[in-house]
Amino acid sequence: MEPQVAIIGAGPCGLMAAEHLAKAGLRVTVYDRMASPARKFLIAGRGGLNLTHSEPLQTFLTRYGEAADWLAPAIHAFPPDALRAWCASLGEPTFVGSSGRVFPQQMKAVQLLRAWLKRLESLGVQYAPRHSWQGWQQGALHFTNVHGQDVLVRPHATLLALGGASWPRLGSDGGWVLIMQAAGVQVASLRPANMGMQVEWSEHMRTRFAGTPLKPLAVTHAGVRRQGEAILTAQGIEGGVIYALSAALRRAIETSGSAEVLLDLRPDMSLSDMTKKLSRPRGNRSLGGFLRACGYSPLAISLLYECVPAAQLAHATPAELAQHFKALPLTLSGICGLERAISSAGGIMRSELNEQWMLRALPGTFAAGEMLDWEAPTGGYLLQACFSTAIAAAHSIQDYVHNQY
Ligand SMILES: Cc1cc2nc3c(=O)[nH]c(=O)nc-3n(C[C@H](O)[C@H](O)[C@H](O)COP(=O)(O)OP(=O)(O)OC[C@H]3O[C@@H](n4cnc5c(N)ncnc54)[C@H](O)[C@@H]3O)c2cc1C
């Protein structure tokens, strides 16, 4: 039997909408091009599934920047506490980590997903794997299945939950952009978000330090300072503290071709304490030997040589050396690609949706999740917005279907 609601995309957004619509008594089928659902959700849980954040809701909303007032009604209606309660209802209570981030007790997504899929099955949600959505044909949704056959579906309403374009091998490759544009829907181009940055490291840095963590580390860009961790890569630098600044860094690189950051390699130590430490007699030691004796790591010392001209270092006073370690200028020459970005910026523009999350150009077709034009840093803000917009869209779909028939 034809579904009343077709949901395309079995990520956290599509599955959450499916749960709500099935609970409301609607016949729902979830289509996905992959063989199994929620591949990105599972990867997201690999290093600890950061579901949401415990900070006050007003602060929480500011993380969405310009999109905050757009997403606010959906997040108010399904806030972080509701998400935590939902997790608990699946047998996975959550806890707040030291940074205020919220995780399931098991840390991973796998148990949560298993319990969730069982619930969806018991609610009668149908799942159609290996169905790749191609657009519309004769007014019907057009999929190609695993055998290359065309499948046409005519639901009463459709939810597009196709995700962004990061980690494309997990299923979300942004291929839907062309389908949307052909249907007259405006899409802001999909760009990497929460991604690594490129640095033109010397051969020495690349071969000796690729894969080495830098922690604790504080990074300042355009007067905004963030503290956390990073890791040097052969291409540049990545990790939480870089992701936290990635939207501003991307804009700077798009405008000027490169961006400057200042690295504080000892955020835990004041400038005056560091100056005091570096004021010990150097004796006849080389600068490198002296810094090693002062407790600086080989990576910190190499970064100093990499970022500050040798002539400036040769006669640097203790105060100047301390200043370098607290504000090492590093040039970022580009941004790393979508293949390894945590998320993508861009997507279906706000102007293209009405307040019910329905596409103005395509009555009966709704959209939610990461495929919409908002971005947020890591910290649980991505999944929270996907879940909240899913539920908001599901409520609208429920009304839409009931009003039609
Ligand atoms: C390494 C990594 C770690 C992350 N960690 C976190 C974290 O800890 N906390 C957090 O908040 N966020 C995290 N994220 C981001 C989070 O996983 C995403 O924001 C979220 O999965 C987006 O949900 P979605 O349902 O909108 O889209 P997706 O999860 O991308 O799902 C979209 C689905 O649509 C399907 N699809 C796409 N095109 C088609 C088509 N043409 N036909 C059929 N099916 C199609 C895809 O196969 C996919 O299953 C992480 C992401 C990555 C890559």
Side-chain angles (χ1 to χ4, degrees), residues 8-15 31-34 36-52 101 103 127 131-134 143 161-168 170-176 179 339-344 368-371 374 377-386 389:
I8 316 179
C13 174
L15 296 181
Y31 300 84
D32 200 289
R33 58 147 56 107
M34 303 301 278
S36 60
R39 299 287 284 268
K40 195 179 278 185
F41 188 62
L42 285 172
I43 286 281
R46 211 171 47 176
L49 182 68
N50 182 192
L51 277 168
T52 187
R101 296 173 181 221
F103 300 90
Y127 176 52
H131 277 63
S132 190
W133 182 51
Q134 310 294 337
F143 297 91
L162 296 153
S166 74
W167 283 60
L170 301 176
S172 329
D173 64 356
W176 53 264
I179 304 176
E339 324 76 65
R340 293 215 5 112
I342 299 288
S343 56
S344 52
E370 200 185 313
M371 73 182 300
W374 54 268
T378 55
Y381 308 104
L382 299 164
L383 283 172
Q384 178 71 53
C386 292
T389 55

Side-chain angles (χ1 to χ4, degrees), residues 48-392:
L49 182 68
N50 182 192
L51 277 168
T52 187
H53 203 286
S54 62
E55 67 196 0
L57 203 51
Q58 272 322 101
T59 316
F60 188 101
L61 287 170
T62 61
R63 310 298 178 192
Y64 299 98
E66 285 171 12
D69 66 320
W70 183 26
L71 301 179
I75 294 175
H76 275 293
F78 187 74
D81 282 347
L83 178 52
R84 297 184 66 181
W86 170 81
C87 258
S89 77
L90 284 167
E92 289 291 327
T94 53
F95 72 95
V96 179
S98 54
S99 58
R101 296 173 181 221
V102 174
F103 300 90
Q105 221 130 55
Q106 306 278 347
M107 288 301 278
K108 308 274 176 213
V110 62
Q111 282 102 330
L112 181 64
L113 182 63
R114 200 173 293 142
W116 194 8
L117 293 176
K118 227 183 239 173
R119 176 185 284 177
L120 292 174
E121 195 183 342
S122 72
L123 286 167
V125 172
Q126 298 292 307
Y127 176 52
R130 295 194 163 117
H131 277 63
S132 190
W133 182 51
Q134 310 294 337
W136 288 269
Q137 209 176 76
Q138 299 148 24
L141 293 171
H142 174 209
F143 297 91
T144 358
N145 68 13
V146 66
H147 308 293
Q149 294 158 336
D150 292 328
V151 177
L152 297 183
V153 181
R154 288 190 169 76
H156 299 332
T158 300
L159 175 66
L160 303 179
L162 296 153
S166 74
W167 283 60
R169 66 191 173 83
L170 301 176
S172 329
D173 64 356
W176 53 264
V177 171
L178 291 177
I179 304 176
M180 285 291 99
Q181 287 170 338
V185 175
Q186 287 199 62
V187 180
S189 66
L190 297 177
R191 284 125 44 232
N194 295 302
M195 68 296 189
M197 297 290 154
Q198 293 170 354
V199 178
E200 286 169 13
W201 295 124
S202 62
E203 187 59 21
H204 168 71
M205 290 299 291
R206 233 191 333 269
T207 50
R208 174 90 205 277
F209 295 109
T212 310
L214 260 173
K215 62 177 179 181
L217 172 73
V219 181
T220 303
H221 171 69
V224 178
R225 180 180 161 99
R226 293 283 179 264
Q227 191 168 327
E229 299 180 1
I231 187 165
L232 247 82
T233 64
Q235 296 76 33
I237 185 166
E238 63 182 46
V241 67
I242 297 295
Y243 301 157
L245 293 166
S246 62
L249 292 172
R250 188 188 58 236
R251 276 193 291 274
I253 290 169
E254 279 170 358
T255 313
S256 329
S258 66
E260 294 293 326
V261 290
L262 296 174
L263 306 183
D264 180 348
L265 300 183
R266 291 301 301 269
D268 51 343
M269 196 183 244
S270 71
L271 184 64
S272 62
D273 283 353
M274 199 183 279
T275 306
K276 225 178 278 165
K277 197 171 172 189
L278 290 164
S279 297
R280 302 198 251 181
R282 195 185 290 185
N284 56 3
R285 279 177 290 203
S286 67
L287 177 60
F290 171 68
L291 293 173
R292 268 195 303 280
C294 289
Y296 289 92
S297 68
L299 172 56
I301 297 168
S302 293
L303 271 172
L304 180 75
Y305 282 114
E306 182 87 359
C307 301
V308 182
Q312 271 186 46
L313 290 179
H315 304 290
T317 62
E320 285 166 345
L321 277 179
Q323 181 60 41
H324 288 317
F325 277 121
K326 294 291 289 174
L328 209 53
L330 180 68
T331 302
L332 309 177
S333 55
I335 58 179
C336 295
L338 279 161
E339 324 76 65
R340 293 215 5 112
I342 299 288
S343 56
S344 52
I348 295 179
M349 288 183 179
R350 179 179 184 168
S351 57
E352 303 302 288
L353 293 156
N354 68 14
E355 287 187 352
Q356 283 69 50
W357 308 90
M358 186 167 81
L359 288 162
R360 294 180 199 282
L362 299 166
T365 302
F366 298 73
E370 200 185 313
M371 73 182 300
L372 304 184
D373 183 19
W374 54 268
E375 70 175 305
T378 55
Y381 308 104
L382 299 164
L383 283 172
Q384 178 71 53
C386 292
F387 285 128
S388 297
T389 55
I391 288 176

